[in-house]
Each structure stands twice: as C-alpha cells, then as structure tokens.
Amino acid sequence: MWTKLIAAVLLLLLSSETILSANSLNVALNDDVLGLMVFKADIRDPYFKLSTWKEEDDSPCKWFGVTCDPYSNRVTELHLDGLSLSGHISKGLLRLQFLHTLSLSRNNFTGFISNPILTQIIKNSQVIDLSENGFFGSIPEPLFIQCGSIRTISLAKNKLTGQIPDSISSCLTLQNVDLSSNQLSGGLPKSIWLLTSLRSIDLSNNFLEGEIPKEKIETLFDLRVFNFSSNNFSGELPEKIGECLLLKSVDFSDNYLTGTMPLSLQKLSLCNVLNLRGNYFAGELPEWIGSLKSLEFLDLSVNNFSGSFPASFGDLESLKSLNLSLNQFTGNLPESLAKCLNLTVVDFSRNLLTGTIPVWAFSLRLKGVSLSGNQFIGTVEFGEETAAAFDTLEILDLSSNSFSGVIPLSIGNFSSLVFLNMSSNGLIGSVPPSLGGLKAANVVDLSHNWLNGSIPAEIGGAALLNELRLDGNFLTGSIPAQIENCSVLRTLILAQNNITGSIPVRIVNLVELESVDLSFNHLSGSLPKELTNLSNLVTFNVSHNDLEGELPLGGFFNTIPLSSVSDNPSLCGSIVNQSCPGAHPKPIVLNPNPSHSDKGSSSLNLSHKRIILSISAIIAIGAAVFIALGVIVVTILNLHVRNSVSRSAAVALTFSGGDDFSHTRSPSSDYGKLVMFTGDAEFVSGTHALLNKDCELGRGGFGVVYWTALRNGRSVAIKKLHVPGLIKSREDFDREVKKLGMIRHSNLVLLEGYYWTPSLQLLINEYVSSGSLYKHLHEGNSENTLSWRERFDVVLGTARGLAHLHRMNVIHYNMKSTNVLIDCSGEAKVGDFGLVTLLPSLDRHVLSSKIQSALGYVAPEFACQTVKITEKCDVYGFGILVLEVVTGKKPVEYMEDDVVVLCDMVRGVLDGGRAEECVDRKLKADFPIDECISVIKLGLVCASQVPSNRPDMEEVIKILELIRCPSEGHEELE
Ligand SMILES: *[C@@H]1O[C@H](CO)[C@@H](O)[C@H](O)[C@H]1NC(C)=O
Ligand SMILES: *[C@@H]1O[C@H](CO)[C@@H](O)[C@H](O)[C@H]1NC(C)=O
Ligand SMILES: *[C@@H]1O[C@H](CO)[C@@H](O)[C@H](O)[C@H]1NC(C)=O
C-alpha cells in the first residue's frame, strides 16, 4: 500500500515535466532516483533485493545493481540479473537519460516485446540483456530502424514469436545478437550479412526455416560464434562461410541442411567447435579436414556421410571430442588418431566400419569409446600399453559387432568404468570374476553372446550396479547369493540361459528392483514370500522355469500377468489357476452355488429363497467379524495417532500462520513440498487457515476433508490423510499420486495436487458443490429429495466414472455413497479412488480396516486370503449403492436388536413379487415401476457373491442405457 502511494506521487511528479526541468543539477540527480523508484514501484521483488533503493536518497549511485558515471554521477548501467523480479518494465527507466547498459536476465519480467517503452530503451542503449524472462509477442520492425549505437542485444529464452524483422540489417553497430530459445519462425532477412560488425550470432532453438542467406557472408571479418542449431533451415551451407576467418564456433546441428562440407571451411584454422550433427550432409570426409588445426569438438553424427576416414584426422591434435556415429562410414578406424593425445571421447557407433580395435582405443586417456553397431572383428584386448585408459575410461560400448574370443580378466582394472556394453557379439568363455572390480559400474551388459560357466559370486563387488544383463548366453549354475550386495540394482536380466537352483532369498533385499527377467532357465524351488516387499517392481518374469509352490500374494504380485509366471508346472495360486495343496481352506462364502454358476452372469435371473437366506446369514456373520476387527484396528490406530499428533501439529500451525502456502517453511525435517497438477497454487491465507475446522466438509476412513479457496477464488477440497505409520515413502507417494492425478473424466473428482511431509499428507481435490450422494439420500427431507430421473442419472454417471477408472487399471476399493459427489448440475462424480494404493502394501487387514466404515459395501472376497482382489470388488460396492439409491436405505441398518442387510432384504421383497414396496417412500408414486425393478435387478447381479458372476462396468453402462430406452429393443430383463 505504502509503496503504491509513493509510486503514484512519483508518477505525478514525473509527468509534470515543468517542475522538474525548472530546477538544475540537483533535480537532474533526482531524475535518476525518481526514474528508478517508479521502475521499482511497478515490479515485484519477492526477496527484497532492491531494499537499498530508497526514495529519500539524493543519489542512486550506491544502490544495488546501479552503476554511475564517476564524473557526472548519472546512472549508466543497471544490472539486475537473477533476482526473481517480476512485473512490467515501466516508463521510469526512460528517465535515465544516460543509461547505456540494461541487464535484466533471469527474472520473471513479462509483457509484449513490442511495448513502446522497451523499444525506446533499446534504441538508446548499447547493451541490452533481457534473456530468460517471459517477454512475448513478435519483435517490432521499428525496434532496429533507429537503433542508435546498440552493440549487444540478447532476448534469448523468452517466448518471442513471429519473424526476425528485416530492419535488423540496418543496425550496423550490432556485434552480438542472441535470440536463441524462442519461438521465432519464418526465414532470415536476405540482407542480414550487411551486419559486418557481428562477432557472435545465436539464433538456435527456434523454428526458423528456409535457406541460410549467402550474400556477402564473406564480409563478416569479425564473426567468431555462429549458432543456428535446432531450427528448420534447409538448403546448403553458404559456400564462402570459411571466409569468416576468425570463426571459433560453428553450430548448424539439427536442421535439414544438405550438400557437402564447403571447401572454404578448411580455412578455419582457429575454429574450436564444428557441429553439423543431425542434418542430411553427404559425401566423403575431405582430406583437408586435417587443416582445422584448432578443432577440439567435432560432431558430424546423424548425417549421410560415407566413405573411409582420411589419414589427416591425426592432424587434429587438439581434438577432445569426436562423434561420427550414425553415418555410413566404411573401412577401418584411422590409426592416426593415436596422435590426438587430448582426445577424451570417440563415438563411431552405427556405421559400416570393419577391422579390429586400434591400439589407441585404450592407450589414449579416453573417457568414452563407443563402437557399437558396426562390423568390427577380432578379440578385445587390454594389454600393457592400455594402462593409460584403466583409470580414465567411463564408457565402453562394443555392442552389436562381431567381436570374438574371451573377455579379458583385465577388464576389472577399469576402475572408473560406469557403462560397459559388450552385448550381441560372439564372445565365448566365462563371465570374468574380475567384473567385481568395477566399483563404479552402473551398467554391465554382456547379453547375447556365447558365454558359459556360472555367474561369478564376485559380481557382488560391483556395489553401484544398476543394471545387469546377461541374457541369451549359455550360463549354468545358480544365481549367486552375493548379488544381494549390489544394493542399488534396478534391472536384472538373466533370461534365456541354463541357470539352475533356486532364486536366492536375499534378492528380496534389493529394494530398488524394478525389472527382473529370469525366464527361460531351469530355476527350481519356490518364490520367496518376501518378494512382495519389492515395492518398485514393474516386471518380474520367471516364466518357463521349474519353479514350484505358492505364488506370493500381495504388492506387485496381486497384478502379475500370467505370462510372467506361465510354464512352471508346479507353481500354484489363483493367478496360474492352480490351487495349492494344503492351502487355506476356502471360506464358505465363496463356495459357488451350483444354481448360481449355471446361470452365468449375463442372465439376470434371481435365485431361490433358500440360497438367499444362507447368503444373508453369512453376510451378517461377515459383518460382525468386520465390526470386531474394525474396533481392534481403530484402537491400535488411535494409539499411533496420539504419538504423531504432536509432530503434525507443528506443521499444521505454520499453515494457519499466514504465509503463502507454497512457501511454508518449518524448522524441522517436516518441511514438505506442494505439487499442483493444475498450475495455480496460491491459497488464500491469513484469514482462512488452510485446514480450518469450521470448513470441515466430511470425514472418511482415510481422513478429514476441508474446504478452502485458491487466490483466484476457486474452491478446492483438501483431504488430510489420516493413516499414521502406514504411508509410503515420499517417492512412492509421489508416483502413485501423480498416477491418480492423470486420471480425468467428467464423472470423477479431479485430483489437483498434493502436499507431503513425513507426518502430514494432503490431497487437493476438485471441490464439488452439492455434497455427497449419502447426504442427498439419507439427510434430506422428502421435499428436496432426488427425483427418480436424478437418481438414475447419478447411477449412470457413477457407472461411467467407475468404468473409466477400470479402463485406467485403477481399482477404487472404496465404493460407497459418501464417495459419490453431486455437482451443481446434478452430475455424479466419484471421488477418493485408488487411495489404497498410497498405502505401503495392499494388505487385506489394512484394507478392511480402512474401509470398515463402508460396512455393507465390502465385497466378500476381501475376507478370503486366496482370492485375488480385482476391479469386481468395485462392481459389488456399486451394486449395493444402486440398491441404496433405489430404496433410500443404508446398506446395513441397525434396528433395536436386529441387523438388516439391504441386499438380502431387497432380494426377499423382490422374490415375493412386491418390488414396489422397497422403493424409497420419499419418491411417492413418482417413478416408473418397470424401470425401478430392472435397476434393482441390476444392483443385485452386481452384488453377486462370486466375483465372476458380476458384470463388468462397461456391461453395466450398456444395461443401464437399455433400461432407460426400452423402446430400442432390448433383451427381456426377467
Ligand atoms: C518465475 O515465476 C514462476 C512462477 O510464476 C516461478 O516458478 C519461477 O521460479 C520464477 N522464476 C524466477 C527466475 O524467479
Ligand atoms: C592439450 O590440452 C592441454 C591442457 O588442456 C593444453 O595445454 C594443450 O595445448 C593441448 N594440446 C593440444 C595439442 O592442443
Ligand atoms: C541346458 O542344459 C541341458 C542339460 O543340463 C542341456 O541338455 C541343454 O542343451 C542346455 N541348454 C543350453 C541352451 O545350454
């Protein structure tokens, strides 16, 4: 407020020119102060970097970022780089009549680049750096028309669009132009090379196209840096480009350029960098390449160059990095490179090269050697003379060639080797135990060779190994238990060998494992149960082995594809459809009744009273067990809560403190981070604490939900997860929540973001205004109750939301009427889906305790350890919800000394032919009875005891659509 006021006064003063010019020198000084104060008033300075700028000062010369001329004391330079300033550039700067250098790079200034103030400033300056801001729009033609004495202009890394104006050619004083990393398009002005003072021009990373102007390029005597990379330029390079004799760096990579390398390039004896990567250049490498004596970096990769290498390569004695990959070069590697003593990286991969590995490959102190995808032959040897590379080489890629012989033991001497790939060759012999000496190795790939013998136990010495691939060899013996020492292993591929023995139990300690393929071996024994603890697993393929015993259940193994375990004749478990001898007896609830299975799921016929009775009795028993279990678990959870309450309270306090939510800091390690998928993260704070008790919207098994508003006025619902001690690690949580955040459907509540600390986790959800279905069904009076049409739409919307979840392979796990919200247009939105995946493992006890509040909706298979939980458990919950919608009754209602289980009650009434009796009384007579009965039947089928008898959600949607339009010919729903 204060600063705004001052700014307003200052502006007033500024605009009254007469007052100012009436005074003399003093006022002239104040001119700079005023100008800068106005400038400051228009920008945001979140870190108070400009706090030394005070309007009461006589002179701004001591201010941060300000440079004055020592004689006149007038401001000549302003350097405010990287201060996180934002806002617009205001008129104030025009006041600084002697400003010649303005550097505002790496801030958040925005606005049209064609803003007249900016144009004026650029005209009057010599050096302008506005790079890495948010300026947008196209560069105005007038900008360069009277460009005065500008020497350097950088507008790099903004959001500029449109063409580079022709007028730029008239700015003859220009020396350095950097317009890189914008979205500029179109061709270059034909006369651009009239800019004979140019020393560097960088137009990289734009969408510029057309040919590179040739006219007068030879007059750029002073040009040193020429960067046109990552554009859409086509045609050939200007023939005379090499006449710019001072060129040090030439980069035309990633364009569509054609032709050969112009002859004139040979004159660039001062050039350090030549990058032509990723074009369509063709032809042979000329002998004159050796005259580029200063070259340190040469990249000709991804072109159509062909022919063999000229011997003159060896004259490039300063060469450090050479990349010739992905061309059609033939012949041998040049022996002469042995003279390039400073060479560190060579990449010849994916050409048609032949011959053997030259001695220099290991005798120079190289860091990287890549020869993959050629036709090299011979053995791989690291002799005495290679000692030089033993402590330097980090990358060795010899894959996909025809190398033969054994892998030398001395490979273990490469103490810096990070990446070793010798796959797809004809290597024989054994896997050298010395691999254990590769202390720095991340990747070892020896797959698809003819290696035999066993995997050496010494492999455990390679403690940083991330990826080990030995598949497609003839390895025998067992997997060494020492593999456990490779504690950061993510990928372990040993498929297609002849490996025997059992899978070492200690493999379960490799918690980072993501991808494991042991298929096509002769592994025996059983799978360790603890494998389910590997929470990062994405694939675990043990198919085509001789494994036996029970498949682990839980975690990744709940959803393991059949193809990953198939062809292990003695493996049992529900996934391979083979019951385990002596496994837990099947609970009685799931004994499929013959009359049920006869009819199948497509028949909506309902069964006899006798069966119903038994099932309902069982459900009642099940319910009682759930309640008891729930009570115990809740007690335990409460104990946990008490312990953690003090910790989370500290954090919660800082939330209500009034800080910006996204900047909340707390001295403890509880400091967390807010992630919004939808962009806007500014919460209204101060007046409203984020988790304000008065704004509580509801409570569920997973936590309490609060309402709050974003700064732009939009409401969101914040769910404070309440699962002490059960939450996953930060990484797992991030991953799972992001997965849920990507699910978007008009019948699903959008997950907008989250906040995580070890003791506090918040989920930020779309706010749905009209409350839950539960509230509408059970808490309203009969006046404002949902009409039949509205109820039907809610059922259909819920079905669509669930079907989408299932398409995205997400199981809701917690279907109930409190989790179906209704928005202001009456549309149903399913919320709280997949929250179970945020818990460390899909442990059934945890599951049933978390959703015990959803009593009555819980599918019977949750009580049964041996049955896999599938999306059919949601169909069950949906079925119960349908009955609830039609009857207006809760799934389980407690009478004085009786428990009424809704679906049993409905079955009974329906069987008795009195269906209309169970329809919600609040609907009065205002419902089509045929439609109601069909919906009830659908609900009952969805709530079948046996999961396979329930339809899937896509079928449910089709049936509902048929029910709604009976005229369009449907199967009789009898
Ligand atoms: C610019 O603002 C965005 C958000 O508006 C922020 O994420 C970014 O860090 C800021 N950049 C700088 C350089 O301050
Ligand atoms: C090799 O590199 C060193 C150190 O960077 C440098 O002094 C030397 O001049 C280089 N040799 C050649 C031939 O460029
Ligand atoms: C694997 O071992 C068996 C005998 O143990 C042998 O018959 C078979 O040829 C071997 N297969 C391979 C691919 O080495």
Side-chain angles (χ1 to χ4, degrees), residues 437-492:
L438 300 179
K439 301 291 178 204
N442 282 172
V443 176
V444 170
D445 188 348
L446 304 178
S447 61
H448 300 287
N449 280 291
W450 294 338
L451 301 173
N452 55 30
S454 56
I455 304 171
E458 288 84 351
I459 193 76
L464 295 181
L465 211 54
N466 238 290
E467 194 172 320
L468 177 62
R469 292 177 184 268
L470 300 174
D471 50 309
N473 282 291
F474 300 104
L475 300 176
T476 52
S478 55
I479 304 174
Q482 288 81 352
I483 194 98
E484 141 184 74
N485 297 334
C486 307
S487 58
V488 290
L489 201 63
R490 285 172 193 272
T491 303
L492 176 63

Side-chain angles (χ1 to χ4, degrees), residues 293 296 316-320 339 341-342:
K293 292 250 186 288
E296 293 177 2
L316 302 176
E317 288 182 7
S318 304
L319 206 55
K320 292 179 178 163
K339 290 195 286 174
L341 299 179
N342 277 359

Side-chain angles (χ1 to χ4, degrees), residues 147-308:
C147 51
S149 53
I150 190 144
R151 285 187 282 118
T152 295
I153 183 163
S154 174
L155 305 176
K157 298 193 183 170
N158 279 286
K159 294 169 184 144
L160 306 183
T161 49
Q163 301 207 353
I164 297 177
D166 281 344
S167 60
I168 195 170
S169 326
S170 63
C171 243
L172 299 181
T173 52
L174 265 181
Q175 294 179 349
N176 306 297
V177 178
D178 187 352
L179 304 178
S180 63
S181 300
N182 280 289
Q183 292 142 36
L184 299 169
S185 54
L188 286 185
K190 283 272 169 296
S191 50
I192 188 161
W193 304 137
L194 291 177
L195 299 174
T196 49
S197 309
L198 272 186
R199 294 166 68 101
S200 89
I201 180 164
D202 186 350
L203 305 180
S204 60
N205 276 307
N206 279 291
F207 303 117
L208 299 167
E209 59 186 24
E211 298 214 356
I212 297 168
K214 298 178 167 49
E215 192 87 359
K216 291 215 161 48
I217 196 165
E218 68 277 13
T219 61
L220 301 173
F221 303 116
D222 221 7
L223 192 62
R224 288 127 208 261
V225 176
F226 202 145
N227 189 352
F228 277 20
S229 72
S230 299
N231 277 288
N232 301 327
F233 288 115
S234 53
E236 304 198 354
L237 283 181
E239 193 56 48
K240 294 185 177 162
I241 184 167
E243 305 290 339
C244 311
L245 299 178
L246 297 185
L247 272 174
K248 289 179 92 64
S249 172
V250 177
D251 189 347
F252 289 101
S253 59
D254 296 313
N255 279 288
Y256 300 102
L257 298 168
T258 52
T260 56
M261 290 166 66
L263 189 61
S264 67
L265 281 180
Q266 65 180 300
K267 298 187 183 176
L268 298 181
S269 58
L270 299 177
C271 192
N272 301 139
V273 175
L274 178 58
N275 189 351
L276 303 179
R277 176 194 174 86
N279 281 287
Y280 298 111
F281 291 114
E284 303 202 357
L285 283 192
E287 189 67 38
W288 56 252
I289 192 103
S291 57
L292 300 174
K293 292 250 186 288
S294 305
L295 267 193
E296 293 177 2
F297 179 96
L298 177 60
D299 190 344
L300 304 178
S301 63
V302 201
N303 276 291
N304 291 328
F305 288 112
S306 57
S308 54

Side-chain angles (χ1 to χ4, degrees), residues 678-698:
T678 47
D680 43 5
E682 297 221 89
F683 288 89
V684 173
S685 46
T687 49
H688 274 294
L690 190 62
L691 304 179
N692 187 336
K693 275 220 164 62
D694 297 337
C695 301
E696 184 176 318
L697 292 172

